[in-house]
Amino acid sequence: MRATCYLVGAGPGDPSLVTARGLDLIRRADVIVYDYLVSDRLLDQAPAGAELVYAGKKGFDRHVSQDQINALLIGKVRELETRTGEAVKSTAEKTATAAAAVVDGDGPVLVRLKGGDPYVFGRGGEEALALRAAGIPFEVVPGVTAGIAAPAYAGIPVTHRKMASSVTLVTGHEDPTRTESSLDWPALAALVARGDTVCFYMGVHALPRLVQRLQEEGASPQTPVALVRWGTTPNQQTLVSTLDSVSQDVARAGFLAPAVIVVGRTIGLRDHLSWYERLPLFGRTVVVTRSHTQANGLVGRLRDLGADVREVPAIAFEEPDSHADLDAGIERLGTYDWLVFTSANGVQRFFDRLRTTFGKDARALAGVLVAAIGPGTARALLGQGISADLVPDDYRAEGMFAAMRDYATCHVEQGLAGARVLIPRAQEARETLPQLLREAGAQVDLAAAYRTVIPEGGDVEDLRAALAAGRVDAITFTSSSTARNFCRMVGPDAAALMEGVAACSIGPITSQTLRELDIEPAVEAARYTVGGLVSAIRDHYQT
Ligand code: SAH
């Protein structure tokens, strides 16, 4: 089958700024050839078997030449075609059909992933020409370019009806083999003099020369200049100055590439329009200890508030030692009055078992009251087609018991006495709920649906180094097990390393566990949910 090469713009830094089409192709890619500045989080979206090839050219350290990259792309396409049985034609034959090279909708996919937009100073044009010359079908997926996005995240609109009628994208890194500048400095200076916007890419090294040339051609020394470094990422830094002092300011601040240099009147709007750097968690590094499968909501919400989020899962889920209790429970499902879920994971495991081992679905729960400990668990139930009969206001064992007791007293005379309850849950769960229920006269069956373990292969040394260097502001703990596992993972000096780091707890039970581990929580959620935890962290840093 014919392979297609897609020149995809990865966007300026924030991986969520990739286009929908770009992401779709990354998720279907057989091979991804990517550049420096492309986010790992985008590469994480590639299918499990995809081959990832780094072809970066960082700054002036040109360890890979453009010719080598072109050859690599062509070579990878040929490899994919051979793998999928495309008859190997001679190069001449392929070149002859170059003009007719059409995309084969089903063929293998090579994604050439480039920072920002592939055709804006990305050498995408050169790669496309090389592909065309080799008769390889290609498509271009434009991306959000840094010269526009980084200023936008810094509060600088590159045009404004009354202030700047044009924006010019310029390379600050000219071909060193040329003696004459390829830039039209008088024209650039004239634009700048009108207040229009000029964005220089790759210009940090050449900054003194850029500002000198603009001034020589008549731009005012007072013209505003801004540099935006690592734009659209949690490491974004903005420096605002004027043409005559920016070189000094940049040197003094030790401000390095990659940065976009913006010259123009709209920079003045930053005082009113800065938003990203003002997000409540901007500049804060937050470690999330949830499992990968569960962390999504939490991680996304923290990132929305500007945090630099590191995922260090301290918990993973595995099959329980035995399914005997769960299977027995499922077999007798119809005889229970209550089915109580204490985690979303428990819901998932219970229904997986119901389906795979018993060939049954949600209908098997008919006639049984279903309780969920909190909104996350209730959502997981909805995903299985079950609307929970009961969700307590207090998302703890104590709250669940009180809600069940109240519900039962309203509906049946004897309350919970004699009620039959099945609780599928973690093998090592707390005994509080079954105990309370039994004291109230209920007959409780516990069924291990999963086991929590400490995940293997996490980069603990990296985390320890970050903690020791004070590079972590906060760590979230969404359960007692994550707190315990985290301390076991980090080592016996975990509490000491946590000195000065805000431990953020989802609720009082987790806080209690943290205290037992010698860690005093700095933040405790008032609502014991992921949303409640995020609000509490935001409030902690906003005050
Ligand atoms: N094709 C890319 C540009 C590649 S040239 C695009 O469309 O954005 C590389 C230059 O882009 C860097 O030297 C820097 O000037 C700029 N750049 C890329 N990412 C950036 C970011 N996150 N913040 C600021 N500048 C960035």
Side-chain angles (χ1 to χ4, degrees), residues 452-525:
T452 61
V453 294
I454 299 179
E456 289 182 7
D459 198 345
V460 175
E461 278 319 306
D462 195 43
L463 173 65
R464 285 181 57 89
L467 285 169
R471 278 186 276 121
V472 176
D473 293 286
I475 306 191
T476 63
F477 296 100
T478 44
S479 66
S480 290
S481 351
T482 54
R484 268 191 226 102
N485 290 3
F486 176 84
C487 287
R488 243 177 273 156
M489 257 169 65
V490 171
D493 55 347
L497 281 169
M498 287 282 293
E499 209 61 40
V501 179
C504 306
S505 150
I506 197 160
I509 306 292
T510 304
S511 296
Q512 192 186 316
T513 306
L514 281 167
R515 286 190 190 103
E516 284 161 18
L517 295 161
D518 280 336
I519 297 168
E520 182 56 35
V523 174
E524 183 183 285

Side-chain angles (χ1 to χ4, degrees), residues 9 57 145 168 197 262 277 344 358 375 473 514:
K57 291 185 296 172
T145 190
T168 308
T197 310
V262 190
E277 293 164 37
F358 295 86
D473 293 286
L514 281 167

Side-chain angles (χ1 to χ4, degrees), residues 12 37 115-117 120-122 145-146 150 200-202 228-231 258-260:
L37 296 180
D117 179 276
V120 179
F121 306 126
T145 190
F200 291 94
Y201 292 64
M202 300 174 281
V228 188
R229 176 170 197 243
W230 287 118
V260 161

